[in-house]
């Protein structure tokens, strides 16, 4: 027996050694064959750039399978992502069918192994994806016996990072530690794929909002795949997100330009506690300190086609039910019991205007207290509302039972509201409503500020029996609270919001920065001090119609260090201090000091129609002020609109980049204000003005500067300006200016606008006067749109040396008269008109070194020339040489004769397009 055993062991050992030797030598028997045919197959079947460092054929990488391993593997995506990676890995291995290779010489790939990889799936806004890399059957190569083919029965993915970034649906999936094992006859046109999947860190975001973060996912799936139509049928799919079990069935068809979806995600009769484990981390932390009981049913469906290019979208629906729920935070004296919820929402075609929300109903007890509500809405901009809310609850018990973080609440809250009907603001329709809210002995304290808001008492009633703004009544009688030892008291009664009847009393003082700290940890966006002792009583119509004797508006409002913002301006106003005294329809300003960026403003005067302006969108605010300033920077009033672009970083996180785009200065249409301005210094687009005096009128969306005067570059300038905004990107202006005897050289050096409008004057010297009027449009950079400009005037020159003008240099060279090269002009009036991008120069004459030149013609804002010139010869200029100057200011062309080249006019089209005509 001993000999037999030894002999058997020898045979077994030799057999194993032969097999191992065979497995070692076998790859050498096919030098380069498998690598060559895999490369040929990839080039023929993949529409994406494939790169790898080297190939290794071995039985030992995935023992005992024969595999071809490609190191430093990188596969680019399809258009429009041909230059971006679709799949990369340190190594990817393809299992080779040994039987087909030995007996038929056929390289058949039947398994794929992928580990420590990065899969980067992208879809742009038009639904074009980077994964369409497989060449269709119509492009298939001939079935040569030597070519490689795929006949998969296994796909293994280990520890891979998967990112799915779909701009068309605004969905971002980021899965780290992705492990996947799929088995099936993957070479068939239709096959079942059995899948085991596990994700260590799953993140899901939609439209920039994070819904799932750092979740563990386990899944056992059976998916029917049709490779002919590229469709997936999810037949049996059991998932678990953390502890929450989910059944997932449905169908996904990939269309040429989108998807056809039919999904159903359901969790039936699950534990409510398990539901909270699937929520974002802050809820999981809360769950560790809270006992949650009860059952829940969840159902999410998504059905229909999603085609971004045709704006076709599927229907989304979600339903959640909670039964026999109980929530008991560790600090609660009274738990929330009998928690009941039936929540149902539908979003047809993902259209928010068709949104239906049905909370029917929500209920829970806190001992003898209760909260119950039924809320149904349909639509968004004009929602149809049916709501019943009835609550009698001690906020301290509510706070403790639910473990509301970072805040302590106290007080007895009673709510009884019934509201039914359509809210249509434009047509002055509101739901028929009757309700009341009462809070007694309220108290709010947060972790963000050491002292509470206390003694909060609110009694509010609202009623509307007909569903119109005319019948709406709101009573706040009263509302009061104490903060930092200072009481605040407000009493208000409003009726008929079509013609508001108001009776408002407000008293108290408040440090805004401190009360803001109570509610925020993100730094101070609000600050300042308010002290009020005001009373307003009257009707909106009396204020509008001038029946001021029927009003009873009085009191004083004191402000210090208040920051206010407006949609029309990019920076906040800081009201350093100001006292406002109310008297009937007027609000008088007394020593109002404000700062806007670098600008300082001091005003005295009054505003009129303030109450009507506050209560109505269409009311016009009137005012008359004296405004003085040491310095005003007009550039800071230019709007900068922030545009948010969602991007994906290399770590696949949702990031937001902030870009800015310019726009014109917007003048609010509901202002009628007059300012008598005195400003020592004013800056605008490198234009530095001093001693500005002007009457500024803002009315009907326009701003007018009347009888304005200022000093600039040692000269006095008078002007009248009308400016108005047409859109956020376009404005109009009408500008008249009279500037007497300013230095050309200094103007070119110090005034940007002068350099742009008169670039040829770079080397000129002397004194110039201007009497000009021009009107036109401005673009979103507040720059003139040249084809829109029209106007004209006189440019008077005195003792001007026309040095460096290339046109005169070209004429001098052509005629051989050096005196023409840099002419001195003693006194000449040059009349010009502007229209259709053309400046027309009327005929003018001057003398230089015995010659008598005469000039007329046209030039354009882009520098083209068509100037006719007669060079009168000494002594009297009776005999002259006709010349024509064409080309451009930088490259003028001079020829004898009067025949020039007409410059094409550019007509301005107000729809932002331009047309040309000769």
């Amino acid at each position: 027996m001993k000999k037999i055993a030894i002999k058997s062991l020898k045979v077994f050992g030799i057999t194993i050694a032969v097999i191992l030797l065979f497995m070692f030598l076998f790859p050498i028997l096919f030098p380069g064959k498998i690598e060559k045919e895999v490369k040929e197959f990839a080039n023929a079947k993949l529409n994406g750039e494939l790169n790898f460092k080297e190939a290794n054929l071995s039985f030992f990488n995935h023992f005992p399978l024969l595999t071809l391993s490609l190191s430093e593997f990188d596969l680019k995506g399809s258009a429009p992502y041909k230059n971006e990676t679709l799949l990369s890995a340190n190594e990817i291995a393809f299992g080779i069918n040994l039987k087909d290779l030995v007996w038929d010489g056929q390289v058949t790939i039947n398994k794929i192994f992928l580990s420590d990889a990065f899969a980067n799936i992208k879809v742009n806004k038009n639904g074009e994806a980077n994964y369409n890399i497989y060449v269709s059957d119509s492009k298939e190569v001939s079935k040569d016996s030597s070519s490689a083919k795929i006949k998969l029965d296994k796909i293994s993915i280990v520890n891979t990072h998967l990112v799915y970034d779909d701009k068309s649906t605004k969905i971002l999936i980021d899965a780290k530690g992705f492990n996947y094992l799929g088995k099936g006859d993957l070479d068939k046109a239709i096959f079942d794929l059995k899948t085991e999947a596990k994700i260590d860190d799953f993140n899901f975001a939609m439209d920039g909002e994070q819904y799932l973060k750092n979740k563990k996912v386990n899944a056992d799936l059976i998916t029917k795949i049709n490779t002919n139509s590229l469709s997936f049928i999810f037949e049996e799919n059991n998932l678990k997100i953390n502890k929450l079990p989910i059944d997932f069935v449905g169908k996904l068809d990939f269309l040429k330009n989108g998807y056809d979806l039919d999904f159903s995600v359901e969790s039936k009769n699950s534990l409510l506690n398990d539901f909270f484990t699937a929520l974002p981390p802050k809820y999981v932390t809360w769950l560790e300190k809270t006992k949650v009981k009860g059952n829940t049913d969840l159902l999410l469906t998504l059905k229909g086609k999603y085609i971004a290019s045709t704006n076709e979208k599927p229907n989304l629906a979600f339903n959640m039910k909670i039964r026999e729920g109980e929530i008991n935070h560790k600090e609660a004296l009274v738990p929330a019991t009998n928690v009941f919820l039936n929540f149902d929402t539908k979003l047809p075609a993902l259209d928010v205007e068709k949104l239906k929300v049905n909370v029917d109903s929500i209920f829970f007890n806190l001992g003898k207290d209760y909260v119950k509500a039924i809320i149904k809405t349909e639509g968004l901009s004009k929602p149809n509302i049916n709501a019943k809310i009835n609550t009698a609850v001690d906020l301290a018990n509510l706070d403790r039972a639910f473990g509301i973080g970072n805040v302590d609440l106290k007080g007895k809250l009673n709510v009884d509201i019934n509201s039914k009907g359509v809210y249509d603001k434009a047509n002055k329709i509101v739901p028929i409503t009757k309700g009341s809210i009462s809070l007694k002995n309220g108290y709010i304290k947060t972790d963000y500020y050491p002292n509470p808001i206390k003694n909060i008492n609110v009694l509010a009633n609202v009623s509307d029996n007909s569903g119109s703004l005319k019948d709406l009544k709101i009573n706040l009688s009263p509302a009061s609270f104490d903060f930092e030892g200072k009481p605040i008291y407000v009493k208000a009664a409003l009726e008929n919001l079509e013609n508001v009847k108001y009776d408002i009393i407000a008293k108290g003082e408040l440090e805004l920065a401190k009360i803001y700290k109570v509610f925020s940890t993100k730094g101070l966006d609000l600050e300042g001090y308010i002290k009020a002792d005001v009373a307003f009583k009257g009707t909106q119509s009396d204020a509008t119609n001038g029946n001021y004797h029927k009003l009873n508006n009085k009191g004083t409002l004191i402000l210090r260090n208040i920051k206010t913002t407006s949609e029309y301006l990019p920076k906040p106003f800081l009201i350093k201090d100001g006292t406002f005294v109310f008297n009937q329809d007027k609000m008088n300003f007394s020593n109002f000091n404000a700062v806007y960026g670098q600008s300082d403003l001091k005003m005295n005067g009054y505003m009129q129609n303030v109450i009507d302006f506050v209560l109505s969108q269409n009311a016009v605010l009137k005012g008359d002020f004296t405004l003085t300033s040491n310095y005003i920077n007009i550039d800071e009033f230019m709007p900068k609109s922030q545009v948010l672009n969602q991007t994906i970083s290399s770590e696949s996180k949702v990031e937001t980049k902030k870009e800015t785009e310019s726009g014109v200065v917007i003048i609010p249409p509901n202002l009628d204000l007059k300012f008598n301005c005195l400003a020592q210094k004013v800056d605008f687009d490198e234009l530095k003005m001093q001693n500005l005096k002007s009457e500024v009128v803002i009315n009907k969306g326009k701003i007018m500067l009347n009888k304005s005067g200022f000093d600039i570059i040692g000269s006095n300038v008078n002007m009248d300006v009308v400016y108005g905004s047409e859109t956020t990107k376009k404005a109009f202006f009408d500008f008249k200016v009279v500037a007497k005897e300013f230095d050309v050289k200094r103007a070119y050096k110090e005034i940007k606008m002068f350099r742009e409008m008169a670039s040829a004057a770079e080397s000129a010297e002397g004194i110039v006067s201007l009497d000009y009027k021009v009107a036109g449009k401005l673009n979103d950079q507040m720059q003139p749109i040249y084809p829109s400009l029209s106007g004209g005037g006189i440019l008077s020159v005195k003792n001007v040396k026309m040095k460096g003008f290339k046109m005169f240099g070209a004429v001098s060279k052509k005629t051989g008269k050096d005196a023409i090269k840099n002419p001195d002009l003693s006194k000449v009036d040059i009349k010009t008109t502007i229209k259709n991008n053309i400046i027309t120069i009327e005929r003018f004459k001057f003398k230089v070194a015995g010659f008598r030149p005469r000039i007329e013609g046209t030039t354009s804002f882009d520098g083209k020339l068509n100037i006719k010139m007669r060079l009168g010869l000494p002594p009297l200029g009776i005999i002259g040489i006709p010349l024509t100057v064409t080309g451009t200011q930088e490259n003028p062309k001079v020829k004898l004769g009067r025949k020039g080249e007409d410059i094409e006019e550019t007509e301005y089209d107000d729809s932002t397009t331009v047309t040309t005509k000769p």
Side-chain angles (χ1 to χ4, degrees), residues 264-307:
S264 178
V265 181
E266 185 176 22
S267 181
K268 197 168 184 179
N269 201 28
S270 302
L271 296 177
L272 185 58
N273 183 82
D274 293 345
F275 167 74
F276 281 101
T277 68
L279 296 179
K282 62 180 180 180
Y283 296 102
V284 177
T285 304
W286 168 85
L287 190 62
E288 294 173 353
K289 303 175 183 179
T290 308
K291 291 183 180 179
V292 177
K293 298 180 182 179
N295 298 313
T296 182
D297 294 337
L298 303 169
L299 177 62
L300 173 70
T301 60
L302 184 63
K303 297 182 180 182
K305 293 181 179 179
Y306 194 106
I307 303 176

Side-chain angles (χ1 to χ4, degrees), residues 466-658:
S466 65
S468 68
L469 288 177
K470 189 175 182 179
D471 195 40
L472 182 61
K473 297 178 182 179
I474 302 172
N475 284 285
L476 192 63
S477 57
S480 61
F481 64 88
D482 292 342
F483 182 64
E484 294 283 9
K486 297 176 181 179
I488 302 294
Y489 175 88
V490 177
K491 183 179 180 181
L494 302 176
E495 296 181 17
N496 184 9
L497 265 63
E498 290 186 11
N499 175 28
V500 181
K501 181 180 179 181
Y502 56 88
D503 188 353
I504 303 170
I505 298 174
K507 295 181 180 180
E509 52 185 299
L510 196 61
E511 293 279 357
L512 296 180
K514 292 180 179 179
I515 200 166
Y516 184 77
K517 275 187 177 181
V518 173
F519 300 101
S520 176
T521 59
K522 297 180 180 179
L524 290 179
D525 296 325
L526 185 64
E527 58 187 57
Y529 168 86
I530 297 177
K531 183 177 181 180
D533 186 357
V534 294
F536 308 117
K537 188 175 183 179
T539 64
Q540 183 181 349
S541 60
D542 286 336
T544 303
N545 297 326
N547 298 321
Y548 305 132
H549 64 282
K550 295 183 179 181
L551 304 178
N552 187 15
N553 301 323
K554 58 185 179 181
T556 303
L557 182 67
I558 298 173
L559 305 180
R560 286 203 302 266
N561 298 323
I562 301 291
K563 280 187 178 180
T564 63
T565 59
S566 167
E567 60 181 307
Y568 301 106
L569 297 171
K571 292 188 175 185
F573 261 101
L574 173 62
I575 302 172
K576 297 179 70 174
D577 54 72
T579 300
F580 304 90
V581 179
F582 293 89
N583 182 18
Q584 302 302 62
D585 72 315
K586 288 186 178 180
M587 183 171 76
N588 293 288
F589 284 54
S590 177
N591 295 321
F592 177 88
N593 291 289
V595 173
Y596 180 83
Q598 296 176 324
S599 306
D600 64 273
L601 306 168
K602 183 175 182 179
M603 289 195 298
N604 287 283
Y606 67 87
M607 282 185 181
Q608 195 170 2
N609 204 31
V610 176
I611 302 297
D612 190 25
F613 180 77
V614 172
L615 296 176
S616 172
Q617 285 188 324
N618 299 320
V620 176
L621 182 65
K622 300 178 181 180
D624 195 333
F625 300 93
T626 298
L627 186 151
T628 58
S629 174
N630 293 313
Y631 175 67
I632 298 176
N633 186 347
I634 297 178
D635 293 330
E636 293 183 322
F637 289 80
M638 304 300 177
K640 298 288 183 181
S641 303
Q642 288 191 343
V643 180
L644 302 183
N645 291 334
Q646 182 178 316
T647 60
I648 308 300
S649 70
S650 58
E651 292 80 18
S652 310
K653 296 179 182 178
V654 181
E655 293 184 344
T656 299
K657 291 183 178 179
K658 290 186 178 180

Side-chain angles (χ1 to χ4, degrees), residues 775-910:
K777 309 285 185 178
L778 300 173
N779 61 19
D780 61 355
Q781 303 292 324
M782 291 293 288
Q783 297 296 322
I785 302 173
Y786 291 122
S788 74
L789 301 183
S790 63
I794 300 175
L795 176 69
S796 299
V797 298
K798 183 172 71 173
N799 299 326
V800 172
K801 296 181 179 180
M802 306 291 284
K803 294 174 60 178
F805 279 73
K806 294 184 178 180
M807 184 186 77
F808 287 109
V811 172
S812 173
K813 184 177 180 181
K814 185 72 175 180
T815 59
K817 308 297 182 182
D818 290 340
I820 305 297
K821 186 175 182 180
N822 295 306
D824 293 343
L825 306 184
S826 57
K827 190 175 188 316
V828 178
D829 291 338
I830 304 172
K831 295 181 180 180
T832 61
T833 57
I834 299 173
K835 189 177 181 180
N836 296 338
N837 203 43
I838 300 294
I839 304 170
T840 301
I841 306 168
E842 296 185 17
R843 180 180 293 181
F844 69 94
K845 304 176 182 178
F846 60 95
K847 296 179 182 179
V848 54
F851 294 96
R852 297 174 181 265
R854 186 182 73 196
I855 298 175
E856 61 186 308
T858 58
T859 181
S860 65
F861 282 105
D862 54 1
K864 295 179 181 178
L865 299 174
N866 183 29
I867 303 295
K868 296 178 181 179
M869 185 174 181
R870 180 183 183 274
L871 185 61
L873 301 176
L876 300 176
I878 298 174
I879 300 173
I881 303 173
L883 301 168
T884 301
V885 183
T886 59
T888 65
Q889 292 178 2
E890 293 298 318
N891 185 25
K893 299 177 181 178
V894 180
K895 61 182 179 180
L896 297 175
R898 293 184 173 274
K899 189 174 182 180
E901 298 177 1
D902 288 341
I903 302 173
E904 287 186 342
E905 295 183 13
T906 305
E907 291 184 351
Y908 177 69
D909 185 343
D910 203 34

Side-chain angles (χ1 to χ4, degrees), residues 49-75:
E49 182 184 342
L50 174 65
N51 295 294
F52 57 89
K53 184 177 182 180
E54 61 181 3
N56 177 33
L57 187 65
S58 172
F59 281 100
F60 300 101
N61 287 348
H62 294 273
F63 186 84
L65 301 175
L66 177 63
T67 58
L68 175 68
S69 299
L70 307 179
S71 63
E72 298 183 19
F73 177 87
D74 184 84
L75 175 62

Side-chain angles (χ1 to χ4, degrees), residues 41-218:
F41 175 83
N43 290 330
K45 302 298 291 182
L46 297 180
N47 183 24
E49 182 184 342
L50 174 65
N51 295 294
F52 57 89
K53 184 177 182 180
E54 61 181 3
N56 177 33
L57 187 65
S58 172
F59 281 100
F60 300 101
N61 287 348
H62 294 273
F63 186 84
L65 301 175
L66 177 63
T67 58
L68 175 68
S69 299
L70 307 179
S71 63
E72 298 183 19
F73 177 87
D74 184 84
L75 175 62
K76 304 295 184 187
S78 57
Y81 296 100
K82 286 190 173 182
N83 297 322
E84 297 186 42
T85 295
L86 171 63
L87 179 66
S88 65
N90 288 335
E91 185 179 70
I92 184 172
F94 300 95
I96 309 299
N97 188 305
L98 189 60
K99 178 182 175 183
D100 289 355
L101 182 62
V102 173
W103 299 108
D104 301 327
Q106 174 72 54
V107 176
T108 303
I109 299 172
N110 60 359
K111 294 176 178 60
I112 294 178
F113 301 92
L114 186 69
S115 61
D116 300 312
F118 175 56
N120 184 32
I121 301 172
K122 288 191 171 186
V123 183
N124 67 12
K125 291 181 179 179
N126 297 322
E128 298 169 317
N130 68 339
Y131 50 73
N132 295 317
I133 59 170
Y134 190 76
V135 177
S136 63
D137 292 341
S138 61
K139 297 181 182 179
E140 212 173 304
V141 295
S142 61
K143 295 183 179 180
D144 193 307
S145 60
S146 64
S147 65
K149 65 179 182 178
I150 294 179
K151 192 176 180 182
L152 293 175
D153 57 31
K154 182 178 180 180
I155 299 176
S156 175
I157 301 174
V158 177
N159 193 30
T160 288
H161 185 185
L162 169 68
V163 173
Y164 176 80
D165 180 15
D166 190 336
K167 301 290 188 185
S168 67
T169 60
K170 298 182 181 179
I171 288 176
L172 173 65
I173 294 174
D174 183 8
K176 299 175 183 176
F178 177 56
N179 297 274
Y180 174 92
L181 179 62
K183 297 180 179 180
D185 295 326
L186 279 68
D187 64 307
K188 294 182 179 179
I190 301 175
F191 61 90
D192 288 340
L193 177 65
K194 297 180 180 179
T195 300
E196 297 175 16
K198 180 181 178 183
I199 303 174
D200 295 333
D201 186 350
F202 182 79
N203 301 278
F204 176 84
M206 186 171 182
D207 201 13
E209 187 71 27
Q210 191 93 38
Y211 291 96
L212 294 175
K213 186 177 182 181
N214 307 127
K215 298 301 174 189
K216 295 183 180 296
V217 177
N218 289 279

